[in-house]
Amino acid sequence: MTSYEESQRKMSRYLSQALDDIGVFPDMTDLRRHIQLLVETLDTMGCKLLGIDQTVYIVGSQSEGTTTIGMDSDTDHLFILNNYLVVFDWAEWEKGREILLAIRDNTTPPQLCYLQRLRRDLPLKMDHPVNPTDEVDEEGRVLVSNKWMDNKLWELYKHMNESMISHGPAYSFADKVDLVHAFPCASMPEECEFLFSRPRPGHYPKPETLERARCCPTFLVPQGHPFSEYKHLQWRISTTLWERFLVFDFTAEQQHVYVLLKMMRKSFIKPIVKDKLSTFHIKTAVMYTIESCQPDIWCRENIIVCAVNCLNTLLRWIRMGKCPHFTTSGVNLFDGKLDRRQLHKLKEVITQIKTHIMWCIYQIKMDMLGFRLMPDIHILDDSRRHNNQLYILREILYMIPARMSNTVSELLSASRLQNIYEAVQGIIGHLRLLHTTQDNGSSIECEAASLLLPHLYGTLASTLASCCINLQLPVTEFVINLYKLSFSSDRMSTKLKYASMLYCSGQCAAAAEMLTHCEGLLGPDVAHYCMCGGRSWQPSDAYLEDGLDGNIADLLKSHSTVCVKFSIHERCCVPEHLQCEMFRTMTNEDQQLRNGHNKWMDFVVIDCVPFLYYLQYLVYRQLGQPARNMAALQKLEDYVCQPGGIPGHVDTALNVLAHCQELENRPDAALCYYQQSVMYYSRNNIANWHLVRLLQ
């Protein structure tokens, strides 16, 4: 072995360790994947609960677990419109569905097709356009334009005050979020048989992975050939779920090579040809290299050698001017991306990277990778690596409570204009659907359902209890049992809803007992999540420690809290002063400042800690316990006025503190706190009304 080869092997070991340090190791990869799969399942479940026949997938590097914090990767969402079905043969037609027939001829580019509308009642062609973007060709066929969703999406995100741009089949908004809407295929397109039928050594992909891919659906996404006269009518076949399974098949060392090449692309290739050479090209080169090389070369000592092998694969394709697709035959992934001049530039830069690969690795600034390889620095102590893991978890874990919160808000919003009977029947229907999923779904679906069920039980309990209180009837044992079913939703929020009901129904002694229990649940290992627009919390390191070691669903249930939400149908379970928060939107100016993320403004929403102290103040006041009453007020004041301020619903916290001051006959102090509340949020804040009331 030459000295150069020995130094390469030594650097490969350091490099592999550095990649572990920045989170590219099996446990963190598995955690990333699990969180993303759980998020997409919660999204799909939310759609079902809202009556939207749509399946959501998070695809690409986020769900593959092949990204790092420094890469700052986009999150790609694929929305499958299940009420549509693409057929490749008339025999696949189904009555009652929106059927689209894939049509192709000798001039249609590989991987692309046109979509003809068929009638829903009979297997006949549609004879008139359905959408304003539809086009009728010379044979009288109604063809679906791939621009058909443009107007709907532009209107939606304009309403949400989001800027949006389109590139390829995706729409990007909210800084790093890409959306693609797609149609499911009734059967596998003929050219996709290529993955299963072509000869290969057999070690990659694994037979079980191929079988899993064969059972997965394929889709059509809205993208045509860039040089086609009819590109606006063309749709591209997508095997994105297959590709996800193929990446899941990577070993730890293969994933190291893939992540390293992605960093090189972003650091050295993107400045030359921009995104003309994409991550997908890199992924394809890695897959073909894994398939063609013996498995035993993929080890920690050979990371650099394996990266060079992948670059050689890419260089061979560049010289040929053709990059084959891994799952679909007849496709050139360079087609429409790179012209001859750009291919020549690309050949030069990749050759330079390959020739001076160790120097290039030292130059990678992303995640300080090059710095981590410097002498005396490549060996990081365990605490720094551990802190890095906590940072990664902090960046990704919030997505689960975000989706849960969004789903609950959407369901509450949907029931806002219903009468109480319709609202109750709706919640019962949602509970049945979630229980059916728990009984018959996959493990990830069961986990998602277990996270949503307690929140819906709490909403149902509070809605029924509100009816009882409104009719001056005792809250029944049945309702109490529903509350108990909700207590596993998180650490505290549904227990506080229960305590609030006890106070509002005159059961102050029982409320005081529950509030004492809730106060005992506070601690540094508890994360307070609020996913209302722009009001987020940051979990503590003590909480994240449990996330690295434990089950994510259990962590969210036992060591997390979310802000407490009450809908209009739960209002009698809310202290009277706090009910005013439902009416924070008072003027046209308020309404114009709201967007699609602000549906929570139609509810009472308050963070757990100030709600706990506020309820204690009210309960002890009602019980005639002045010492405990004033202690609760002091805790509320200390909490709201802590140095640096508080995250979350600070305006509501200040508003309830002001109310306590009113009850203490301190109008000047109340005015001061209401004014502070308005200083935080001048619009959509009920404090404006309270100020007018006090100043009259």
Side-chain angles (χ1 to χ4, degrees):
M1 184 181 296
T2 67
S3 59
Y4 178 77
E5 289 172 334
E6 178 56 38
S7 64
Q8 225 181 36
R9 290 172 70 85
K10 185 177 180 181
M11 185 174 176
S12 288
R13 289 192 293 270
Y14 294 158
L15 176 60
S16 214
Q17 179 180 318
L19 288 165
D20 284 345
D21 290 337
I22 62 175
V24 189
F25 65 97
D27 287 348
M28 183 55 71
T29 297
D30 290 344
L31 185 60
R32 278 184 179 275
R33 290 173 179 172
H34 183 76
I35 288 173
Q36 297 291 348
L37 293 175
L38 185 55
V39 167
E40 71 178 25
T41 305
L42 285 166
D43 281 346
T44 299
M45 206 164 281
C47 289
K48 286 182 180 178
L49 292 171
L50 291 165
I52 302 170
D53 193 6
Q54 185 171 268
T55 304
V56 183
Y57 296 105
I58 298 175
V59 296
S61 60
Q62 296 287 3
S63 63
E64 292 168 356
T66 57
T67 187
T68 66
I69 296 298
M71 279 192 199
D72 196 25
S73 301
D74 293 353
T75 302
D76 302 318
H77 291 79
L78 184 66
F79 294 88
I80 309 304
L81 307 176
N82 295 318
N83 53 323
Y84 287 85
L85 185 67
V86 174
V87 300
F88 295 91
D89 188 279
W90 282 89
E92 295 177 322
W93 180 88
E94 292 181 16
K95 187 174 183 179
R97 290 185 73 174
E98 295 285 350
I99 303 297
L100 305 171
L101 177 65
I103 54 177
R104 287 178 279 192
D105 56 33
N106 294 334
T107 65
T108 309
Q111 203 187 8
L112 298 173
C113 64
Y114 301 90
L115 292 179
Q116 177 188 358
R117 289 192 185 272
L118 304 184
R119 286 173 53 174
R120 299 180 63 175
D121 55 343
L122 293 168
L124 299 171
K125 70 177 185 178
M126 185 72 73
D127 56 7
H128 61 275
V130 174
N131 189 287
T133 61
D134 288 350
E135 291 191 17
V136 181
D137 70 2
E138 56 193 19
E139 297 181 32
R141 299 178 296 192
V142 179
L143 302 181
V144 182
S145 168
N146 58 35
K147 302 297 182 185
W148 75 293
M149 283 290 288
D150 285 14
N151 291 338
K152 293 180 183 178
L153 289 172
W154 283 109
E155 274 303 311
L156 174 64
Y157 293 109
K158 177 184 175 183
H159 169 67
M160 294 174 71
N161 294 337
E162 296 284 3
S163 59
M164 186 173 69
I165 58 172
S166 64
H167 54 86
Y171 289 88
S172 296
F173 78 102
D175 189 28
K176 301 295 180 184
V177 177
D178 285 355
L179 309 178
V180 179
H181 288 77
F183 297 134
C185 298
S187 59
M188 185 192 303
E190 183 179 348
E191 53 263 59
C192 296
E193 283 286 351
F194 171 70
L195 175 64
F196 310 100
S197 60
R198 75 169 185 266
R200 55 166 55 90
H203 58 269
Y204 178 85
K206 296 174 186 173
E208 56 267 31
T209 303
L210 288 174
E211 191 55 39
R212 195 176 181 189
R214 188 185 285 277
C215 297
C216 270
T218 53
F219 312 110
L220 289 186
V221 297
Q223 184 179 30
H225 193 283
F227 300 141
S228 172
E229 180 185 353
Y230 304 106
K231 64 182 178 183
H232 64 292
L233 294 174
Q234 293 169 347
W235 294 74
R236 177 173 62 80
I237 295 167
S238 171
T239 57
T240 189
L241 292 188
W242 299 9
E243 293 147 21
R244 185 159 78 177
F245 291 139
L246 292 169
V247 174
F248 285 1
D249 236 3
F250 285 3
T251 65
E253 293 75 22
Q254 289 162 353
Q255 185 157 332
H256 279 177
V257 172
Y258 180 36
V259 170
L260 173 64
L261 290 171
K262 287 171 71 173
M263 288 179 161
M264 288 181 168
R265 184 199 78 87
K266 207 161 188 176
S267 300
F268 308 117
I269 299 174
K270 187 173 180 178
I272 305 298
V273 295
K274 298 184 179 178
D275 286 320
K276 299 290 185 179
L277 186 83
S278 68
T279 299
F280 191 71
H281 292 112
I282 301 293
K283 183 193 300 184
T284 304
V286 173
M287 287 179 177
Y288 270 108
T289 307
I290 294 171
E291 184 182 76
S292 61
C293 293
Q294 288 301 312
D296 56 5
I297 77 159
W298 299 91
C299 59
R300 293 175 80 89
E301 290 78 14
N302 281 345
I303 297 299
I304 294 175
V305 170
C306 291
V308 169
N309 288 341
C310 294
L311 292 174
N312 282 331
T313 300
L314 205 50
L315 276 173
R316 186 172 70 252
W317 293 341
I318 290 169
R319 293 187 189 103
M320 295 165 49
K322 182 175 181 179
C323 175
H325 201 294
F326 195 78
T327 67
T328 310
S329 63
V331 178
N332 179 6
L333 294 174
F334 289 158
D335 204 5
K337 293 278 188 182
L338 292 155
D339 58 29
R340 184 174 298 178
R341 183 177 58 84
Q342 290 166 330
L343 284 170
H344 180 70
K345 278 187 181 180
L346 199 53
K347 176 185 170 184
E348 289 182 341
V349 69
I350 292 178
T351 301
Q352 287 295 315
I353 292 171
K354 190 185 81 161
T355 305
H356 307 287
I357 188 163
M358 289 199 286
W359 180 87
C360 288
I361 293 170
Y362 275 121
Q363 303 309 307
I364 295 175
K365 295 182 174 60
M366 206 175 299
D367 295 289
M368 298 195 304
L369 185 69
F371 175 76
R372 293 171 190 273
L373 299 173
M374 299 297 285
D376 303 322
I377 294 176
H378 60 260
I379 301 176
L380 295 182
D381 59 79
D382 290 340
S383 64
R384 287 182 65 181
R385 178 183 294 188
H386 186 71
N387 290 339
N388 214 13
Q389 293 172 27
L390 295 180
Y391 183 79
I392 293 168
L393 189 58
R394 182 178 284 111
E395 290 293 303
I396 60 177
L397 186 59
Y398 80 93
M399 290 185 287
I400 300 176
R403 292 313 198 274
M404 291 164 55
S405 177
N406 181 64
T407 297
V408 171
S409 292
E410 290 286 349
L411 294 175
L412 292 179
S413 184
S415 68
R416 184 168 169 263
L417 300 179
Q418 296 175 332
N419 61 43
I420 191 72
Y421 175 79
E422 292 170 336
V424 168
Q425 290 303 308
I427 299 170
I428 292 172
H430 300 330
L431 289 167
R432 284 175 179 156
L433 177 60
L434 290 175
H435 276 296
T436 300
T437 302
Q438 259 196 332
D439 294 339
N440 305 307
S442 64
S443 60
I444 198 80
E445 288 174 328
C446 291
E447 187 175 352
S450 75
L451 290 171
L452 289 173
L453 272 167
H455 287 281
L456 291 182
Y457 273 121
T459 301
L460 178 59
S462 197
T463 301
L464 293 174
S466 182
C467 290
C468 294
I469 295 169
N470 186 48
L471 296 172
Q472 298 183 340
L473 297 172
V475 177
T476 65
E477 191 65 27
F478 173 74
V479 174
I480 301 298
N481 288 332
L482 288 177
Y483 271 114
K484 290 177 181 177
L485 288 173
S486 78
F487 287 168
S488 65
S489 64
D490 65 350
R491 183 93 162 187
M492 196 185 305
S493 68
T494 48
K495 296 181 180 72
L496 287 174
K497 291 183 81 166
Y498 178 60
S500 185
M501 177 277 293
L502 292 173
Y503 166 73
C504 293
S505 61
Q507 303 175 69
C508 289
E513 187 177 340
M514 175 54 74
L515 291 170
T516 300
H517 171 69
C518 287
E519 189 170 12
L521 298 176
L522 295 174
D525 62 338
V526 179
H528 302 267
Y529 284 109
C530 173
M531 294 303 158
C532 304
R535 302 181 178 219
S536 60
W537 292 73
Q538 285 293 332
S540 68
D541 285 355
Y543 168 79
L544 294 169
E545 295 280 357
D546 294 323
L548 290 176
D549 300 332
N551 178 284
I552 292 297
D554 289 345
L555 177 73
L556 291 168
K557 290 178 182 179
S558 61
H559 287 79
S560 310
T561 67
V562 295
C563 53
V564 187
K565 289 187 177 78
F566 292 94
S567 72
I568 190 72
H569 300 302
E570 304 170 74
R571 63 186 178 275
C572 293
C573 293
V574 184
E576 188 175 350
H577 184 272
L578 197 53
Q579 291 180 28
C580 299
E581 297 287 326
M582 293 186 191
F583 310 104
R584 71 185 79 221
T585 302
M586 297 178 287
T587 67
N588 288 333
E589 289 82 358
D590 286 344
Q591 188 64 52
Q592 288 171 7
L593 287 173
R594 288 182 53 169
N595 57 43
H597 299 310
N598 294 148
K599 292 181 179 179
W600 60 268
M601 288 187 177
D602 293 323
F603 320 132
V604 170
V605 188
I606 185 169
D607 296 306
C608 283
V609 178
F611 192 36
L612 165 67
Y613 296 145
Y614 178 56
L615 284 176
Q616 283 182 329
Y617 171 82
L618 295 175
V619 166
Y620 295 141
R621 188 172 188 272
Q622 193 68 29
L623 289 172
Q625 299 177 7
R628 300 179 77 181
N629 164 253
M630 294 312 294
L633 176 56
Q634 187 62 55
K635 284 184 283 189
L636 177 58
E637 192 163 16
D638 290 345
Y639 173 82
V640 173
C641 301
Q642 62 185 278
I646 60 170
H649 297 274
V650 59
D651 50 339
T652 305
L654 283 161
N655 292 345
V656 296
L657 177 55
H659 179 234
C660 295
Q661 299 295 346
E662 287 190 69
L663 294 176
E664 292 298 315
N665 198 27
R666 299 173 185 162
D668 290 344
L671 278 170
C672 180
Y673 288 128
Y674 284 132
Q675 286 166 348
Q676 285 186 46
S677 177
V678 172
M679 287 175 65
Y680 277 102
Y681 296 101
S682 60
R683 292 292 182 184
N684 290 294
N685 188 345
I686 197 63
N688 287 302
W689 181 80
H690 289 305
L691 285 170
V692 172
R693 174 176 58 81
L694 284 180
L695 291 170
Q696 282 181 342

